[in-house]
């Protein structure tokens, strides 16, 4: 403020010492920083603004512990600067801004303020774990606890990078889930990183994200398994080569299996399966189902089956929509087809079902966005 007062008092005229020597004229430019110095509970977006009058902005630095060199955008006439991303919540920022007038004289202004600590935090969960290896069909799923109203802001704050480089785009399923994938299956050996920059992003009125982290994961070998209802044989193809053929059983009439590309999203060595959890009443309640791997949110699994005779597999459809492979109760025999498939599968591996009388699985029912065209995926990506 002293600099601004000095500039106003001089009015651009030279001062003269008693001995007659002229001093250097003061800058006529002024700098204004909003919010005011010492402000608290400042909104992370829309509040910070730096302006210059009678001159051009030449340098702006905005720093905070853990958030150095905040990037920004300057107007074409270099009189206004605003940050290009949200500030972090509950953080003390310092701003230093310099402007220069037409004579080359400069003035610098400083300010400090603290952003608000949100009463409501918009928590998000991510389905990938740092350091883990996934199959080539893996989709990154970010799910919010509460509905998101500003989807565009959230989409700008979440990116996925990869080596080798590939474009990865997000697509919203409803108001609380956004999934990311490339156009084609991942290249084996890829290293990918999810960049979460949600701290300070207003997801809905009064709700702000607070997460600021990177999650790096790997893509392993390619394994794509296909079962055709006409043959009832699961063909396991790894890195382009057929490595195993396993007889299976699909959904019986009235409970047929979805067609389409489905991705393994969860693995359970043993799980209990109750038809009431998937809206099928009291149709079944099977204990100790071995080697179960989830394919859809709605309840489709590929799993071991110990309650059907061996001749069923490869010949009859007997399930309520799942893909069944021969197994023993509890999964204690490693030589069964189901045990082999479980032990040789990753979360993110692809299982394709063909030839059933059912419809194609919905893209948002599990990690199954591969059933949506790339144009549709990217057109509604925000």
């Amino acid at each position: 403020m002293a600099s601004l007062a000095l500039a106003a008092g001089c009015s651009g005229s030279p001062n003269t010492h008693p001995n007659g020597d002229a001093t250097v004229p003061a800058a006529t430019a002024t700098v204004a920083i909003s919010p005011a110095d010492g402000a608290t509970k400042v909104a992370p977006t829309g509040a910070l603004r730096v302006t210059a009058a009678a001159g051009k902005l030449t340098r702006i630095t905005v720093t905070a512990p853990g958030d150095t060199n905040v990037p920004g955008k300057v107007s074409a006439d270099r009189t206004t600067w605003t940050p290009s991303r949200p500030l972090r919540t509950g953080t003390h920022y310092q701003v230093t801004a310099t402007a220069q007038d037409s004579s080359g004289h400069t003035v610098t202004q400083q300010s400090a303020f603290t952003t608000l600590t949100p009463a409501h935090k918009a928590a998000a969960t991510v389905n990938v774990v740092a350091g883990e290896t996934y199959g080539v069909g893996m989709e990154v799923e970010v799910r919010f606890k509460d509905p998101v109203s500003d989807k565009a802001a959230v989409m700008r704050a979440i990116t996925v990078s990869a080596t080798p480089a590939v474009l990865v785009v997000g697509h919203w399923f409803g108001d609380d889930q956004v999934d990311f994938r490339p156009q084609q299956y991942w290249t084996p050996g890829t290293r990918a990183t999810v960049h979460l920059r949600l701290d300070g992003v207003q997801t809905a009125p009064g709700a702000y994200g607070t997460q600021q982290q990177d999650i790096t994961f790997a893509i392993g070998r390619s394994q794509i398994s296909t079962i055709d209802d006409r043959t009832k044989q699961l063909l396991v193809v790894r890195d382009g080569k057929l490595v195993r053929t396993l007889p299976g059983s699909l959904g019986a009439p009235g409970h047929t299996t979805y067609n389409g590309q489905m991705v393994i999203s969860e693995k359970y060595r043993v799980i209990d399966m109750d038809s009431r959890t998937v809206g099928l009443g009291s149709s079944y309640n099977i204990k100790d189902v071995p080697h179960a791997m989830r394919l859809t949110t709605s309840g489709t699994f590929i799993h071991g089956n110990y309650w059907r005779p061996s001749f069923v597999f490869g010949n009859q459809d007997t399930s309520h929509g799942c893909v069944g492979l021969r197994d023993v109760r509890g999964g204690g025999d490693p030589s069964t087809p189901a045990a082999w498939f479980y032990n040789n599968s990753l979360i993110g591996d692809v299982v394709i079902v063909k030839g059933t009388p059912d419809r194609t699985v919905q893209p948002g029912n599990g990690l199954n966005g591969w059933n949506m065209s790339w144009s549709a995926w990217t057109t509604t990506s925000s």
Side-chain angles (χ1 to χ4, degrees):
M1 294 301 295
S3 297
L4 295 179
L6 176 63
C10 293
S11 300
S13 299
N15 291 327
T16 305
H17 289 293
N19 62 9
D21 295 332
T23 61
V24 176
T28 58
T30 61
V31 175
I33 301 173
S34 177
D37 188 36
T40 60
K41 300 180 180 179
V42 173
T45 56
L48 177 56
R49 183 181 179 90
V50 180
T51 57
K56 309 290 186 183
L57 292 169
T58 58
R59 181 177 176 82
I60 299 97
T61 60
V62 181
T63 61
D67 194 13
T68 58
N69 300 324
V70 175
K73 298 177 290 187
V74 66
S75 61
D77 61 2
R78 301 198 64 81
T79 62
T80 302
W81 180 94
T82 54
S84 56
R85 61 165 173 80
L87 304 177
R88 299 185 67 171
T89 57
T91 302
H92 185 74
Y93 282 90
Q94 293 183 323
V95 184
T96 302
T98 300
Q100 185 179 68
D101 65 17
S102 58
S103 298
H105 305 122
T106 62
V107 61
T108 297
Q109 181 68 289
Q110 293 182 323
S111 181
F113 61 90
T114 303
T115 54
L116 60 81
T117 298
H120 185 74
K121 297 179 181 179
T125 57
V126 185
N127 69 333
V128 292
V129 177
E132 289 294 316
T133 299
Y134 300 96
V136 296
M138 190 62 181
E139 293 179 14
V140 176
E141 178 186 283
V142 182
R143 185 179 292 272
F144 289 83
K145 181 180 178 182
D146 300 305
V148 172
S149 59
D150 194 343
K151 295 179 181 177
V154 169
M155 190 70 82
R156 289 192 296 270
I158 305 174
T159 57
V160 180
S161 62
T163 304
V166 65
L167 177 65
V168 183
V169 177
H171 182 91
W172 285 93
F173 291 105
D175 294 330
D176 61 356
Q177 176 187 330
V178 56
D179 288 7
F180 293 82
R181 70 169 179 90
Q183 183 174 4
Q184 307 294 335
Y185 295 146
W186 296 94
T187 299
T190 295
R191 289 184 61 83
T193 302
V194 185
H195 307 278
L196 297 176
R197 299 295 180 264
L198 291 168
D199 196 356
V201 175
Q202 189 170 22
T203 61
Y208 290 86
T210 59
Q211 289 160 284
Q212 200 86 352
Q213 65 181 128
D214 294 329
I215 304 171
T216 299
F217 62 95
I219 300 297
R221 79 291 178 272
S222 170
Q223 182 165 296
I224 301 171
S225 304
T226 303
I227 185 167
D228 192 319
D229 194 33
R230 290 163 290 193
T231 64
K232 299 175 180 44
Q233 301 292 320
L234 181 70
L235 307 181
V236 183
V237 176
R238 187 176 301 158
D239 294 325
K241 296 180 180 180
L242 178 66
V243 294
R244 195 76 182 263
T245 299
L246 304 172
S249 178
L250 298 175
H255 301 287
T256 51
T257 306
Y258 291 126
N259 290 292
Q261 305 166 76
M262 290 176 268
V263 174
I264 297 172
S265 59
E266 299 172 359
K267 293 181 68 177
Y268 300 92
R269 190 163 293 278
V270 176
I271 191 174
D272 295 341
M273 290 189 171
D274 189 336
S275 58
R276 291 172 296 180
T277 64
V278 292
L280 292 178
S282 57
S283 300
Y284 58 86
N285 186 3
I286 305 171
K287 303 297 182 183
D288 304 326
V289 177
H291 300 123
M293 293 174 281
R294 183 182 291 277
L295 299 178
T296 70
T297 306
S298 61
T300 307
F301 281 76
I302 182 166
H303 61 75
N305 183 318
Y306 63 82
W307 55 94
R308 297 289 184 183
S310 296
F311 70 82
V312 163
F313 304 100
N315 293 291
Q316 297 179 13
D317 289 332
T318 59
S319 80
H320 284 79
C322 292
V323 181
L325 302 173
R326 184 175 62 79
D327 210 335
V328 296
R329 183 167 186 168
D333 183 354
S335 68
T336 66
W340 183 92
F341 189 70
Y342 182 94
N343 291 331
N344 285 275
S345 294
L346 296 172
I347 290 176
D349 281 350
V350 181
V351 176
I352 301 174
V353 178
K354 300 167 58 177
T356 82
D358 212 321
R359 64 188 184 278
T360 299
V361 65
Q362 290 296 305
N365 187 4
L367 305 179
N368 299 325
W370 306 102
N371 296 283
M372 179 183 291
S373 70
W374 185 243
S375 60
W377 183 273
T378 55
T379 299
T380 56
S381 61
S382 62

